[in-house]
């Protein structure tokens, strides 16, 4: 490995020459480069440099270690380490020399099979070779044996030659014997001795020859053995060579097989990669589709909400329109009533005064459209009461009249008794006047005593006991009507029931409107005063999609009153259009008069507040 | 901090336009890679050393499937921080 080290200066030179910038500038640049990486790392950030890699801080935990010399345990302090992960490009470029190598999966089963194959190959071949060699050896041995037999033959031949010579000699000796027979016996004996000696020699020679032959045989055998050994050695060498060849071949085979496998694996991997990519693409597409669907759903939800809002608005508009229609109708009715009243003015001056008051009050009624519902009820009640009272009054009057008439009659009869017929005429007029005054006297103290204390009592109770008012009003009306009737009765002694019924409601309305005028003021005060939220009905945690208006609808019945919830939680919520989920808000207890959904004033007030906060 | 942010911060420090800084950084990175491809070690005293290390081939056994894989040798870029940088980082509180 070429482990040359390049210094900072060299890098500076290279960069400067390449970028054609001054060395100083490049030096500064490189210093700033490392300084800024360092800075970012110190701030706990990950630094990514394109085509180079990522720098990251890594905390190495403190760990135990052992001092090699003393065997003591030491604690190595933890430290921060800058880990550098090279970019894919850099990685590939650096690893180019080994890029062609791929990791190989080794399968145990295959390997074993491979080994078996090799072994069988190797085993089979030597067997063949062995048999071949064995045959060769046999042939060789036979050759050797053949050679050795030849030798033996030659020896025998020699031997035969020798024997021939011996025979020849013997013949010669015999010839000589035959010749010598004629000579001395001693000589024969000598010859016999010589012969014996010669025989002995021959025997010795034969023995020597035999030994020689044996030796030769032994030598031949030795030679054979040596040859055999040499042959075997040669064969063994050959075998070894062949084995080596076989193993080489096997190795080659292995290599080729491995290569084939590697290729297959590569192919499989590529296929897998392609599949993975496709799957990833599919997944991405699926994700995108899901996202799109989610977006669509959210949009739909938003649209639905908007539609609901619009519907609510439409409903409220329709409600207002219907109210407006009702108002116009009511105004028309009031006008009609006014006309009736005008007609009545002409009938009586006193009534005219009352009518003026009524008109004024009716103007107030126009403004106070809210209480109309109640008013109509009140009117009905008042009418009923008034009728009852009228009937009572009429009854009383009749009784009084009867009583007076009886008295008058009594008096008249007395007078008749005293003064006889002529004086009877002027007295009824007197009695009539007295009749006229007496009920008035009665009525006035009754009215005076009953009305004033009740009024005093009624003031603090105001609305809660409107029926008291109604009673008072009806009493007043009754009194007033009684007076009116008595005044009218001067002109004509008819109990004018129709005008009374007309007056009664007017009176009640007028007084009632006064009664309801005060709570309206208090409502105004409620509106004007800053609201203090001290009591709470409930607390809720905002979730995704929850709206203050929905809560208002749940707790107060009308969504417009969400502003009061908002007022109570203003600090927590901030912008009412961007309420964050998870915040705990409390639902305040609001004065029920403020959150009267039927009262348009309350709704108007809430809308004013809405405009104030939403802006 | 990604590439763009790095360039921006460097540009402000050097008082140079971003484009110039970007070009310079590109050339430096190129030279770095060239040097590393030649298996040369790049040393910066204040920062650390970039060097190429050879990872020898090894046999890995998958712990669950027991598949044995022969992993070929490879050349890897290694960064070793300098002691100066290590000391600087010592002051940093570590987050677990």
């Amino acid at each position: 490995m070429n482990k040359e080290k390049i210094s900072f200066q060299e890098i500076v030179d290279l960069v400067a020459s390449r970028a054609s910038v001054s060395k100083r500038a490049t030096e500064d640049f490189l210093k700033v480069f490392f300084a800024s990486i360092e800075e970012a790392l110190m701030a706990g950030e990950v630094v990514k440099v394109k085509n180079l890699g990522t720098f990251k801080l890594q905390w190495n935990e403190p760990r135990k270690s052992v001092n090699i010399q003393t065997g003591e345990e030491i604690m190595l302090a933890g430290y921060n380490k800058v880990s550098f992960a090279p970019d894919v490009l850099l990685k590939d470029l650096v690893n180019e020399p080994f890029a062609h190598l791929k990791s190989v999966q080794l399968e145990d089963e295959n390997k074993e099979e491979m080994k078996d194959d090799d072994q069988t190959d190797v085993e089979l071949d030597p067997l063949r070779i062995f048999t071949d060699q064995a045959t060769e050896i046999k042939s060789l041995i036979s050759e050797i044996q053949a050679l050795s037999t030849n030798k033996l033959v030659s020896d025998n031949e020699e031997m035969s030659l020798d024997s021939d010579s011996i025979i020849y000699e013997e013949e010669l000796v015999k010839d000589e014997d035959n010749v010598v027979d004629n000579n001395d016996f001693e000589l024969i004996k000598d010859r016999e001795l010589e012969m014996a000696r010669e025989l002995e020699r021959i025997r010795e020679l034969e023995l020597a020859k035999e030994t020689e032959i044996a030796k030769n045989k032994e030598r031949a055998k030795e030679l054979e053995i040596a040859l055999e050994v040499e042959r075997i050695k040669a064969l063994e060498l050959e075998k070894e060579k062949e084995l080596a060849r076989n193993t080489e071949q096997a190795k080659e085979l292995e290599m080729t097989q491995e290569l084939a496998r590697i290729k297959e694996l590569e192919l499989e991997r590529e296929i897998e990669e392609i599949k993975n990519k496709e799957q990833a693409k599919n997944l991405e597409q699926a994700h995108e589709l899901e996202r799109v669907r989610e977006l669509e759903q959210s949009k739909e939800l938003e649209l639905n909400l908007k539609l609901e809002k619009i519907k609510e608005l439409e409903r409220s508009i329709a409600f207002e329109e219907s109210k407006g229609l009702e108002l116009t109708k009511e105004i028309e009715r009031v006008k009609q009533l006014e006309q009736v009243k005008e007609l009545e003015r002409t009938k009586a001056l006193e009534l005219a005064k009352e009518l003026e008051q009524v008109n004024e009050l009716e103007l107030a009624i126009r403004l106070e459209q809210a209480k109309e519902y109640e008013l109509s009820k009140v009117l009905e009640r008042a009418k009923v009461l008034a009728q009852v009272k009228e009937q009572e009054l009429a009854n009383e009057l009749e009784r009084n009249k009867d009583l007076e008439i009886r008295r008058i009659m009594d008096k008249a009869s007395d007078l008749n008794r005293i003064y006889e017929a002529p004086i009877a005429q002027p007295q009824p007029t007197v009695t009539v006047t007295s009749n006229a005054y007496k009920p008035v006297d009665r009525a006035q103290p009754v009215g005076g005593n009953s009305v004033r204390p009740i009024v005093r009592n009624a003031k603090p109770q105001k609305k809660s006991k409107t029926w008291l008012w109604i009673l008072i009003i009806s009493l007043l009306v009754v009194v007033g009507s009684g007076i009116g009737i008595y005044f009218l009765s001067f002109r004509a002694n008819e109990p004018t029931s129709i005008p009374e019924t007309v007056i009664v409601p007017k009176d009640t309305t007028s007084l009632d409107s006064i009664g309801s005028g005060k709570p309206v003021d208090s409502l105004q005060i409620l509106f004007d005063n800053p609201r203090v939220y001290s009591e709470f009905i409930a607390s809720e945690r905002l979730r995704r999609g929850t709206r203050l208006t929905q809560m208002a609808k749940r707790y107060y019945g009308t969504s417009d009153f969400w502003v009061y919830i908002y007022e109570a939680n203003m600090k927590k919520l901030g912008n009412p259009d961007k309420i964050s989920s998870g915040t705990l808000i409390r639902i305040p207890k609001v004065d029920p008069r403020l959150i009267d959904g039927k009262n348009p004033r309350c709704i108007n007030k809430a809308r004013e507040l809405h405009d104030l906060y939403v802006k | 901090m990604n590439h763009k942010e790095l360039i921006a911060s460097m540009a402000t420090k050097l008082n140079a336009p971003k484009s110039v800084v970007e070009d310079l950084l590109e050339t430096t990175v190129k030279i770095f890679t060239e040097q590393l491809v030649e298996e040369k070690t790049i040393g910066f005293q204040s920062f650390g050393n970039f060097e190429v290390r050879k990872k020898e081939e090894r046999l890995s056994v998958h712990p669950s499937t027991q598949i044995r894989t022969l992993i070929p040798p490879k050349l890897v870029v290694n960064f070793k921080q300098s002691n100066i940088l290590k000391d600087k980082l010592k002051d940093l509180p570590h987050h677990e």
Side-chain angles (χ1 to χ4, degrees):
Chain A
M1 272 261 244
N2 184 13
K3 276 273 178 184
E4 255 181 82
K5 193 164 181 178
I6 285 194
S7 67
F8 180 72
Q9 209 54 50
E10 282 173 273
I11 287 283
V12 166
D13 291 351
L14 278 165
V15 173
S17 64
R18 182 73 61 87
S20 57
V21 188
S22 72
K23 282 181 188 175
R24 195 174 285 172
T26 45
E27 210 178 307
D28 286 343
F29 165 78
L30 276 173
K31 274 178 184 168
V32 165
F33 174 59
F34 290 120
S36 46
I37 289 171
E38 230 169 81
E39 217 171 82
L41 286 170
M42 295 284 246
E45 275 186 87
V46 176
V47 186
K48 227 177 209 174
V49 183
K50 207 163 100 188
N51 296 341
L52 187 69
T54 349
F55 294 94
K56 219 193 290 184
L57 258 199
Q58 194 186 352
W59 170 249
N60 279 17
E61 287 291 325
R63 63 194 164 86
K64 273 182 189 173
S65 184
V66 179
N67 191 333
I68 306 161
Q69 267 126 32
T70 57
E72 276 178 62
E73 276 199 354
I74 340 165
M75 203 66 184
L76 293 177
Y79 61 96
N80 280 307
K81 185 191 166 190
V82 177
S83 79
F84 170 72
D87 194 89
V88 181
L89 196 89
L90 178 62
K91 220 179 181 173
D92 290 348
L93 278 170
V94 166
N95 196 35
E96 217 155 31
F98 293 127
H100 62 283
L101 295 170
K102 293 274 159 69
S103 58
V104 185
Q105 246 183 45
L106 302 173
E107 282 163 50
D108 292 334
E109 290 175 332
N110 279 347
K111 223 182 180 186
E112 274 166 13
E113 278 174 13
M114 276 282 288
K115 275 180 186 171
D116 287 345
D117 286 347
D118 287 352
Q119 278 168 356
T120 49
D121 283 344
V122 172
E123 277 169 3
L124 278 169
D125 284 350
L127 272 170
R128 272 178 229 148
I129 294 154
F130 199 73
T131 47
D132 291 344
Q133 281 168 350
T135 49
E136 274 181 61
I137 288 160
K138 273 177 188 172
S139 64
L140 280 166
I141 287 162
S142 63
E143 271 177 49
I144 290 158
Q145 278 171 346
L147 278 166
S148 62
T149 46
N150 283 338
K151 267 187 181 177
L152 281 167
V153 167
S154 65
D155 284 353
N156 288 334
E157 276 173 359
E158 277 176 64
M159 282 285 281
S160 63
L161 276 168
D162 285 340
S163 58
D164 282 350
S165 65
I166 290 160
I167 292 156
Y168 186 70
E169 278 176 335
E170 281 175 345
E171 280 176 353
L172 276 169
V173 169
K174 279 170 185 175
D175 284 358
E176 280 175 357
D177 285 340
N178 291 326
V179 177
V180 176
D181 276 332
N182 299 321
N183 297 337
D184 292 328
F185 191 65
E186 288 177 347
L187 278 169
I188 293 159
K189 278 183 183 175
D190 289 334
R191 278 180 190 174
E192 281 177 348
L193 278 166
E194 279 176 353
M195 280 286 281
R197 281 172 197 166
E198 276 179 346
L199 277 167
E200 276 177 351
R201 277 178 208 163
I202 287 157
R203 274 171 202 163
E204 279 173 0
L205 279 165
E206 278 175 351
L207 276 164
K209 274 173 189 172
E210 276 175 358
T211 51
E212 273 181 352
I213 287 157
K215 276 176 190 171
N216 281 330
K217 273 180 185 172
E218 277 174 358
R219 274 180 206 161
K221 275 175 188 173
E222 278 173 1
L223 277 163
E224 274 182 77
I225 288 156
L227 277 164
E228 273 183 279
V229 165
E230 277 174 358
R231 293 247 172 92
I232 287 157
K233 274 179 189 168
L235 286 163
E236 275 173 356
L237 277 165
E238 278 177 352
K239 275 180 200 170
E240 277 174 358
K241 276 176 189 173
E242 277 178 343
L243 276 167
R245 270 176 218 156
N246 284 325
T247 46
E248 277 175 359
Q249 282 173 348
K251 275 175 190 171
E252 280 173 358
L253 278 163
E254 274 185 277
M255 287 290 280
T256 49
Q257 276 168 346
E258 272 186 338
L259 280 164
R261 266 180 215 159
I262 288 157
K263 276 173 189 173
E264 279 174 357
L265 283 164
E266 281 175 358
L267 277 165
E268 279 174 355
R269 264 177 216 158
E270 278 174 358
I271 289 156
E272 276 178 350
E273 278 175 359
I274 289 155
K275 277 178 189 171
N276 285 328
K277 277 175 189 171
E278 281 176 352
Q279 281 175 343
K281 275 177 189 174
N282 287 328
L283 278 166
E284 280 176 353
Q285 281 175 348
H287 282 302
E288 278 178 352
L289 279 164
E290 279 177 352
R291 275 178 215 153
V292 169
R293 274 177 205 161
E294 279 176 356
L295 279 164
E296 282 175 352
Q297 281 175 346
S298 61
K299 276 175 188 173
E300 280 176 356
L301 280 165
E302 282 177 353
L303 281 165
N304 286 332
L305 285 165
K306 279 174 187 172
L307 280 163
E308 280 177 358
K309 275 183 187 172
I310 288 157
K311 277 175 188 171
E312 279 178 358
L313 283 163
E314 282 175 351
R315 273 178 217 152
S316 60
I317 288 157
F319 190 57
E320 281 173 350
E321 280 176 352
S322 64
K323 273 181 187 172
L325 282 164
E326 282 175 354
L327 287 171
T328 49
K329 279 176 190 172
E330 277 158 4
I331 288 158
E332 281 174 357
R333 277 181 217 156
V334 170
K335 277 177 187 170
Q336 284 174 350
L337 285 166
E338 279 177 347
Q339 284 173 353
V340 171
K341 278 167 207 164
E342 278 175 335
L343 286 165
E344 281 163 0
R345 265 188 201 173
T346 54
K347 285 178 183 174
L349 283 163
E350 287 169 340
L351 288 171
K353 281 176 190 173
E354 286 174 345
L355 275 168
E356 278 174 359
Q357 282 179 345
V358 169
N359 283 336
E360 282 172 359
L361 291 163
E362 276 170 347
L363 281 164
I365 292 158
R366 276 186 212 171
L367 293 164
E368 297 157 5
Q369 289 126 350
K371 293 283 170 181
E372 275 162 357
Y373 204 73
E374 291 173 40
L375 286 175
S376 61
K377 280 181 186 173
V378 169
L379 279 166
E380 281 175 355
R381 278 184 205 163
K383 273 179 194 174
V384 171
L385 282 164
Q387 280 174 348
V388 170
K389 289 280 167 182
E390 275 175 272
Q391 281 179 347
E392 280 176 354
L393 268 171
N395 289 334
E396 273 184 330
L397 282 166
E398 278 178 344
R399 275 177 216 156
N400 287 335
K401 276 179 188 173
D402 289 339
L403 281 165
E404 290 299 314
I405 289 157
R406 274 176 202 165
R407 276 180 201 166
I408 292 157
M409 289 294 279
D410 290 342
K411 279 178 186 176
S413 60
D414 289 339
L415 285 166
N416 280 333
R417 279 174 207 161
I418 300 156
Y419 301 104
E420 289 178 7
I423 310 152
Q425 275 184 332
Q427 272 177 340
T429 55
V430 175
T431 54
V432 165
T433 52
S434 66
N435 276 347
Y437 280 107
K438 272 175 187 172
V440 171
D441 287 338
R442 268 186 204 168
Q444 273 177 339
V446 167
N449 289 329
S450 63
V451 169
R452 272 166 201 166
I454 288 160
V455 168
R456 270 174 213 151
N457 290 332
K459 266 178 187 171
Q461 289 166 355
K462 284 174 190 172
K463 281 152 280 164
S464 60
K465 291 179 179 177
T466 43
W467 60 273
L468 257 174
W469 277 100
I470 295 152
L471 264 175
I472 295 151
I473 292 149
S474 54
L475 276 168
L476 279 167
V477 167
V478 165
V479 171
S481 58
I483 294 157
I485 291 153
Y486 278 105
F487 275 107
L488 285 166
S489 65
F490 278 106
R491 293 173 190 170
N493 285 325
E494 287 172 349
T496 53
S497 61
I498 299 155
E500 277 175 75
T501 51
V502 177
I503 295 156
V504 169
K506 278 163 203 164
D507 277 7
T508 51
T509 48
S510 68
L511 287 164
D512 221 42
S513 64
I514 291 159
S516 63
K518 279 166 191 169
V520 164
D521 287 337
S522 71
L523 241 183
Q524 197 58 49
I525 289 156
L526 268 174
F527 287 157
D528 294 337
N529 284 341
R531 286 154 293 280
V532 179
Y533 302 100
S534 54
E535 288 180 69
F536 297 94
I537 313 164
S539 58
E540 272 205 26
R541 195 169 286 285
L542 288 178
R543 274 172 292 165
R544 204 162 155 259
T546 50
R547 271 145 220 274
L548 294 177
T549 47
Q550 289 171 350
M551 283 190 192
K553 189 142 197 173
R554 244 188 298 145
Y555 288 104
Y556 304 142
T558 309
S559 57
D560 285 308
F561 300 126
W562 69 270
V563 284
Y564 300 117
I565 300 174
Y566 174 66
E567 272 185 346
N569 299 286
M570 208 186 271
K571 280 177 191 169
K572 281 183 197 169
L573 292 172
N575 189 349
D577 282 339
K578 291 172 186 172
I579 54 169
S580 53
S581 60
T583 45
L584 189 76
I585 61 156
R586 293 193 290 177
I587 313 298
K589 189 179 182 184
V590 186
D591 197 306
R593 284 168 291 175
L594 265 178
I595 48 164
D596 185 3
K598 285 173 186 170
N599 194 336
R601 286 188 68 193
C602 291
I603 286 163
N604 282 336
K605 176 69 189 171
R607 282 191 186 151
E608 271 174 38
L609 288 169
H610 168 94
D611 291 339
L612 190 79
Y613 293 133
V614 169
K615 273 173 192 171
Chain B
M1 196 191 239
N2 59 27
H3 196 64
K4 273 185 186 172
E5 286 167 347
L6 181 73
I7 285 165
S9 78
M10 280 165 77
T12 52
K13 275 179 196 165
L14 286 164
N15 240 347
K18 276 186 197 174
S19 57
V20 170
V21 173
E22 200 175 343
D23 289 345
L24 254 179
L25 187 60
E26 207 174 297
T27 48
T28 20
V29 168
K30 250 185 207 168
I31 281 161
F32 273 31
T33 45
E34 276 168 25
Q35 297 303 320
L36 288 169
V37 165
E38 285 173 37
E39 296 188 14
K40 283 177 183 170
T41 306
I42 309 168
F44 301 100
Q45 274 210 321
S46 60
F47 194 67
N49 286 353
F50 293 91
E51 62 177 341
V52 176
R53 282 186 187 176
K54 194 194 174 189
K55 302 256 164 167
E56 291 298 335
E57 66 176 339
R58 66 201 165 85
L59 198 74
S60 86
V61 181
H62 196 281
S64 63
T65 57
Q66 299 295 326
I67 291 170
R68 300 191 303 156
T69 318
L70 189 76
I71 289 156
K74 61 181 167 185
L75 294 169
V76 178
V77 178
N78 190 69
F79 173 74
K80 194 177 186 248
Q81 62 189 358
S82 69
N83 284 327
I84 299 163
L85 185 62
K86 195 179 171 183
D87 288 341
K88 273 185 194 171
L89 294 169
K90 249 180 200 172
D91 308 329
L92 216 68
H94 80 273
H95 316 283
E96 285 182 60

